[in-house]
Amino acid sequence: MRNALYAAGFAALLMTSAASAQTLNVATAGDQNMVDYIKDYLGPLFEKQHPGVKVVAVGTGPGDGGSQKIYEKLEAQNKASAPADFDVVVIHQKAAGTMVQENLLKKYRDALPTGKLVTRDTAANSLGTDVSGYVMPMFHSQTAIAYNPDLIKEPPNSYADLREWVKKNPKQFGYNGIKGGMSGVAFVTGWVAAFGGDGTKLEKGPYDASEKASWDKAMADLKDFNKNVVITPGNAGTLDMLNRGEIAMGPVWVDMFYSWKAEGKLPPNMRLKLVSPGMPGQPMYYAIPQKTAQDKLASEFVALATSPEVQAEGIVKRFNWYPGIDAKNLEGKLDQAVWNQLFADIPPDALAANGKAFPIGPYFNDILETYEKKVSN
């Protein structure tokens, strides 16, 4: 009898434990390193702080296509009035705007303890869509001008300075146009923002199809500029030519730049400059689906992921990405050597001032089309 009661009690205990166990499902767009980051670092850290919780990460693929898959899944479940399979999603800007417009995401950031640590416009504006409160930046990728200080003692501070520098130093600046990778596209969109009129309107809208007519002089100047530059074969091609000394300066992705330096593929003295009025980058966002059954747990996960300590160790130290929160909140959280590496050339205030968003979709397409017609030809 006693054994029977013991067995029954043990079974009840198991059932209670199983019932109390929770799974937090995280879906992330992006490369495999995004999935590995959650599986190997962020998930175990969260589980340690939340006994009985299991974090399960699934990747949906790189680029906007990965975010599109998340959107399609949430849209289908919403139409079926079914709960969301995902509790936290990591998505690109384009999908975030669509999901907010279709009411697929919760407005949660204002209640997040780390929500006030974000200062960049990308937390409120996603390629022209108001996403304020619905997203929390995971990190920011950023473009900047890389240069060789042995060849350039005083790098240009602005696009205007750069234009004059190239006239005096032909074939010493290189970028990859608009077909060889996004660092070149970023440079071109920054040029139009600098010389083509209202840069803020490009980022925030509203869209006016007639606006591109005002870019004629900026594009004509860019065509003249290109006569004195080297068109490189891609993002990596720009870095490779910098490494070999074939060019002295060119636009790069900051995380790629530091990864190449760490791997010994760039001279250790190479430096960066974020010229004014700014160059674009892109965030990845944490968001919470509207129909998750785990909204409290999901908010706690994002709060941990965007805490200064995790942003310092997980985002900056591991990946050379800029943090999703304002970088000034990371002071004292990083080894001085790591801080100096990432922020010595582009300090937090310069990043906040000159780190820009890509133009909204219609303007972005117009810039590429106009470049093809008036610069490439």
Side-chain angles (χ1 to χ4, degrees), residues 17 21 48 61 75 89 107 197 216 222 247 252 255 268 271 273 277 300 315 318-319 324 330 334 339 350 357:
S17 298
K48 186 177 180 180
E75 180 195 34
V89 293
K107 193 170 187 178
D216 285 353
L222 184 53
I247 56 175
V252 299
D255 58 312
R271 299 188 64 182
K273 186 78 177 185
E300 291 172 356
I315 296 300
R318 287 171 178 251
F319 290 104
L330 273 60
L334 287 167
W339 177 271

Side-chain angles (χ1 to χ4, degrees), residues 48-365:
K48 186 177 180 180
Q49 295 183 3
H50 295 75
V53 172
K54 177 66 177 175
V55 176
V56 176
V58 59
T60 57
D64 285 331
S67 292
Q68 178 68 17
K69 289 178 182 177
I70 294 173
Y71 160 72
E72 290 171 357
K73 182 76 169 176
L74 295 179
E75 180 195 34
Q77 290 172 335
N78 183 58
K79 286 182 177 179
S81 299
D85 284 346
F86 307 137
D87 303 306
V88 177
V89 293
V90 182
I91 50 179
H92 295 82
Q93 285 184 295
K94 183 178 179 181
T98 302
M99 291 184 196
V100 167
Q101 291 172 332
E102 297 190 14
N103 197 33
L104 298 177
L105 301 179
K106 284 185 176 294
K107 193 170 187 178
Y108 76 103
R109 198 191 89 213
D110 293 343
L112 215 61
T114 54
K116 294 181 174 61
L117 303 182
V118 177
T119 57
R120 287 180 63 164
D121 283 348
T122 49
N125 173 54
S126 183
L127 302 180
T129 299
D130 183 359
V131 295
S132 183
Y134 293 92
V135 299
M136 186 71 181
M138 175 187 185
F139 68 85
H140 287 93
S141 57
Q142 179 64 47
T143 54
I145 303 296
Y147 69 95
N148 186 334
D150 290 342
L151 303 174
I152 305 170
K153 300 303 181 185
E154 294 185 14
N157 290 311
S158 66
Y159 268 92
D161 291 344
L162 175 63
R163 182 172 57 185
E164 295 308 308
W165 186 90
V166 164
K167 289 179 183 177
K168 298 173 183 176
N169 300 273
K171 304 301 180 181
Q172 287 299 296
F173 179 89
Y175 78 103
N176 48 308
I178 62 169
K179 292 185 175 179
M182 285 299 289
S183 62
V185 173
F187 177 77
V188 171
T189 59
W191 179 285
V192 175
F195 299 121
D198 187 352
T200 301
K201 188 175 182 180
L202 296 180
E203 294 179 32
K204 298 183 177 181
Y207 175 67
D208 179 355
S210 66
E211 188 78 15
K212 58 185 175 183
S214 67
W215 305 338
D216 285 353
K217 185 176 187 311
M219 288 297 187
D221 288 347
L222 184 53
K223 186 167 186 173
D224 285 340
F225 176 87
N226 278 4
K227 294 175 183 177
N228 291 314
V229 309
V230 176
I231 300 300
T232 69
N235 293 334
T238 302
L239 288 164
D240 197 38
M241 294 186 78
L242 284 164
N243 179 50
R244 295 198 302 265
E246 295 173 6
I247 56 175
M249 187 162 47
V252 299
W253 286 103
V254 171
D255 58 312
M256 282 186 70
F257 173 84
Y258 283 121
S259 294
W260 277 52
K261 282 185 75 171
E263 294 166 7
K265 296 193 294 186
L266 281 177
N269 65 333
M270 293 287 285
R271 299 188 64 182
L272 293 171
K273 186 78 177 185
L274 184 53
V275 296
S276 65
M279 293 180 66
Q282 267 191 323
M284 288 290 282
Y285 293 131
Y286 288 114
I288 298 176
Q290 181 69 256
K291 293 193 173 182
T292 176
Q294 309 264 34
D295 54 339
K296 182 177 182 296
L297 204 62
S299 293
E300 291 172 356
F301 180 86
V302 177
L304 173 66
T306 53
S307 64
E309 294 79 9
V310 170
Q311 289 274 293
E313 172 63 30
I315 296 300
V316 176
K317 194 171 181 180
R318 287 171 178 251
F319 290 104
N320 297 312
W321 289 324
Y322 284 111
I325 60 177
D326 194 309
K328 68 184 180 184
N329 298 292
L330 273 60
E331 290 192 68
K333 308 295 183 183
L334 287 167
D335 296 340
Q336 195 62 43
V338 177
W339 177 271
N340 288 344
Q341 173 179 286
L342 196 59
F343 298 114
D345 289 340
I346 306 176
D349 57 345
L351 186 62
N354 291 331
K356 303 297 184 181
F358 277 97
I360 63 173
Y363 282 134
F364 182 84
N365 293 335

